[in-house]
Amino acid sequence: MFGDDDDLTDEQILEYLKTDPPGFKPFGENWEKEMDMHPLFMDSIPQEVIDGTFDRTEWPVLASHLDMMYDDDDDLEGSALNYKLDGNTYFKQGTKKGYYLSIISYTEGIDKKCKDSELNAILHCNRAAAHFNIGNYRKATSDCETALSHNPKYIKAVIRAIRSQQKLGNTREVLSWCDRGLAIDKHNEELISIKVKSLQKLKVVERNERKRLALEAKERKTNAALLDAIEKRGISVYVPEAEHPDTEEEKEQLLLDSLKSSTVGQVSLNQDNQLVWPVRFLYPEYSTSDLISEFCEINCLADHLSYMFPPSGECPEWDQEGVYIFQNLVVCINTGGKLIEVSQTDSLLDVIVNNKLVISLGTPTFEIFVRNSKTHMDHIMGT
């Protein structure tokens, strides 16, 4: 019903409590309901009373009875204690709804603002336990903090704060809470054990953090070198028109995203500072393609095509007529719907730059035809 990432608000808890449990049926509007709603004749407390959704003006007897139970302004400690006991009863149900109801009861007790510091500490610590059990780890920690403000030596509050911070993965916070607890009880075995394990975990966390930072630094350096190589060569990269970068950093990120958007490989710099591209060959006549995953910019198209389509050798399965032979082939690029033939003996870099090929999806793409074939002529004519 609710997300797992954030603590639930009081409003969300109340929203949950408005949901009737399976099998619950509201009472009909008749005399039986009136009898059932009278405190003297109740066999059990109706769900709408537990939820706090019953109409107090419609049922003044019940409302007055509840007020007498818990709203004694002359005995705030007694009222707060009653709410604590109610909360404990709900908590012991061990259900999500029970935890929600216990939170409401503990909150009512806290709101009494009685002068019993020990009771206030227990109310906050108990509410922390309920919040913990529904995944509200931040609220649980906050309640533990408040509990300690009422009772600075309340070790149970420290332990519950530690458990909450463990759930949040905050190892440093766990250690901080351990130190607070050990300041109260330096011989506490549970705290000592947690601290030892947390220190070991922190070493792993810090080592992983160093590795992550080193990898990020290396990646930034690699990306900067890649963008510098693209710029110096005068290579054009397609960026969606909808994107309007405000800063140079955003512009560079858009270029990187475009260069790395290929699903079949990504352009990179080799040890000789040469760009190595994923290159796709399309064969429109047969609606198929080939991918060269690593095509160095200093190599020419003929280097690959002569190997793929030798004069004497086995033809691709899709070449039904056996006409796709290197000497028969023409290589084209499609720019704005216009087919342009490119030199097969020029380097890939020269083909890209001289023909102002705009790299889309990080992959230079070429269309391969059998020269003067019907498909070739149709594409030249734009049909």
Side-chain angles (χ1 to χ4, degrees):
M1 181 177 180
F2 301 114
D4 297 329
D5 294 337
D6 299 312
D7 287 357
L8 301 181
T9 63
D10 294 339
E11 290 73 16
Q12 287 175 313
I13 291 175
L14 289 172
E15 179 185 341
Y16 178 89
L17 292 174
K18 291 177 183 177
T19 305
D20 293 332
F24 174 77
K25 296 181 179 179
F27 294 98
E29 294 183 358
N30 50 43
W31 66 273
E32 292 178 336
K33 179 176 179 179
E34 295 185 27
M35 294 294 290
D36 287 335
M37 290 296 288
H38 196 290
L40 295 178
F41 301 104
M42 281 183 180
D43 292 326
S44 60
I45 300 178
Q47 190 66 39
E48 58 193 32
V49 176
I50 295 175
D51 292 350
T53 58
F54 75 100
D55 189 336
R56 295 176 67 89
T57 59
E58 185 177 353
W59 307 107
V61 176
L62 175 61
S64 297
H65 180 73
L66 292 175
D67 289 342
M68 285 189 293
M69 287 175 61
Y70 299 126
D71 288 339
D72 186 353
D73 292 335
D74 296 328
D75 185 13
L76 297 179
E77 284 77 9
S79 295
L81 178 61
N82 283 333
Y83 278 118
K84 188 204 83 167
L85 295 175
D86 272 359
N88 292 350
T89 299
Y90 292 132
F91 186 92
K92 290 175 183 177
Q93 293 177 7
T95 63
K96 182 177 285 189
K97 195 153 195 172
Y99 296 135
Y100 289 157
L101 291 168
S102 69
I103 288 171
I104 292 175
S105 293
Y106 294 139
T107 301
E108 290 292 334
I110 290 168
D111 288 345
K112 288 300 173 184
K113 301 186 186 316
C114 71
K115 296 181 179 180
D116 188 334
S117 295
E118 184 68 23
L119 178 55
N120 283 324
I122 292 172
L123 283 165
H124 279 284
C125 194
N126 287 5
R127 189 170 70 175
H131 274 304
F132 180 90
N133 281 313
I134 60 173
N136 284 355
Y137 305 123
R138 294 175 185 83
K139 285 192 174 182
T141 303
S142 177
D143 266 335
C144 291
E145 191 76 66
T146 306
L148 285 166
S149 71
H150 290 289
N151 179 4
K153 296 187 179 298
Y154 199 3
I155 203 71
K156 184 183 288 187
V158 173
I159 297 294
R160 285 182 176 164
I162 287 173
R163 298 303 181 195
S164 296
Q165 290 302 309
Q166 285 177 323
K167 286 290 187 179
L168 292 169
N170 297 332
T171 306
R172 290 183 178 85
E173 285 297 316
V174 170
L175 286 168
S176 176
W177 277 99
C178 283
D179 289 340
R180 291 178 65 174
L182 290 170
I184 299 170
D185 180 6
K186 64 180 180 180
H187 299 297
N188 188 291
E189 293 183 0
E190 184 176 6
L191 288 175
I192 293 171
S193 176
I194 293 173
K195 182 171 182 178
V196 169
K197 292 178 181 178
S198 296
L199 283 170
Q200 294 172 342
K201 184 177 181 180
L202 183 60
K203 289 181 180 179
V204 175
V205 170
E206 290 177 339
R207 183 172 66 249
N208 291 338
E209 181 70 6
R210 288 193 297 271
K211 288 181 179 180
R212 183 185 66 81
L213 292 174
L215 286 173
E216 288 181 355
K218 182 179 179 180
E219 184 179 11
R220 285 194 298 270
K221 184 177 179 180
T222 299
N223 289 338
L226 178 62
L227 291 177
D228 183 61
I230 295 290
E231 182 180 3
K232 286 182 176 178
R233 288 161 172 76
I235 296 175
S236 299
V237 179
Y238 172 76
V239 175
E241 293 182 1
E243 303 289 352
H244 300 288
D246 295 325
T247 65
E248 189 64 25
E249 183 178 358
E250 290 178 355
K251 179 182 177 180
E252 290 180 354
Q253 188 58 53
L254 285 174
L255 285 173
L256 281 171
D257 291 343
S258 180
L259 287 169
K260 295 184 177 183
S261 61
S262 172
T263 59
V264 294
Q266 295 179 357
V267 61
S268 61
L269 279 170
N270 64 17
Q271 60 184 6
D272 296 320
N273 203 38
Q274 297 162 342
L275 288 173
V276 179
W277 295 89
V279 171
R280 189 178 293 281
F281 291 150
L282 304 180
Y283 309 103
E285 184 175 2
Y286 291 101
S287 299
T288 189
S289 65
D290 279 322
L291 173 72
I292 311 299
S293 58
E294 295 183 352
F295 197 132
C296 184
E297 65 179 355
I298 65 173
N299 294 337
C300 61
L301 298 172
D303 293 336
H304 290 276
L305 292 174
S306 61
Y307 176 80
M308 297 166 65
F309 303 99
S312 59
E314 187 175 350
C315 297
E317 292 183 1
W318 47 264
D319 183 11
Q320 300 172 2
E321 299 178 2
V323 294
Y324 275 75
I325 299 172
F326 172 61
Q327 290 84 347
N328 297 341
L329 302 181
V330 57
V331 182
C332 302
I333 59 173
N334 196 320
T335 58
K338 183 179 180 181
L339 209 62
I340 299 176
E341 183 176 347
V342 299
S343 171
Q344 298 183 42
T345 56
D346 286 348
S347 69
L348 176 62
L349 175 59
D350 287 341
V351 170
I352 292 173
V353 174
N354 295 341
N355 294 280
K356 299 181 180 179
L357 176 62
V358 178
I359 307 299
S360 180
L361 299 177
T363 308
T365 301
F366 301 93
E367 298 185 20
I368 312 296
F369 301 92
V370 173
R371 187 178 295 279
N372 297 327
S373 65
K374 182 178 184 305
T375 305
H376 181 209
M377 294 296 101
D378 287 345
H379 276 71
I380 290 177
M381 299 299 294
T383 59

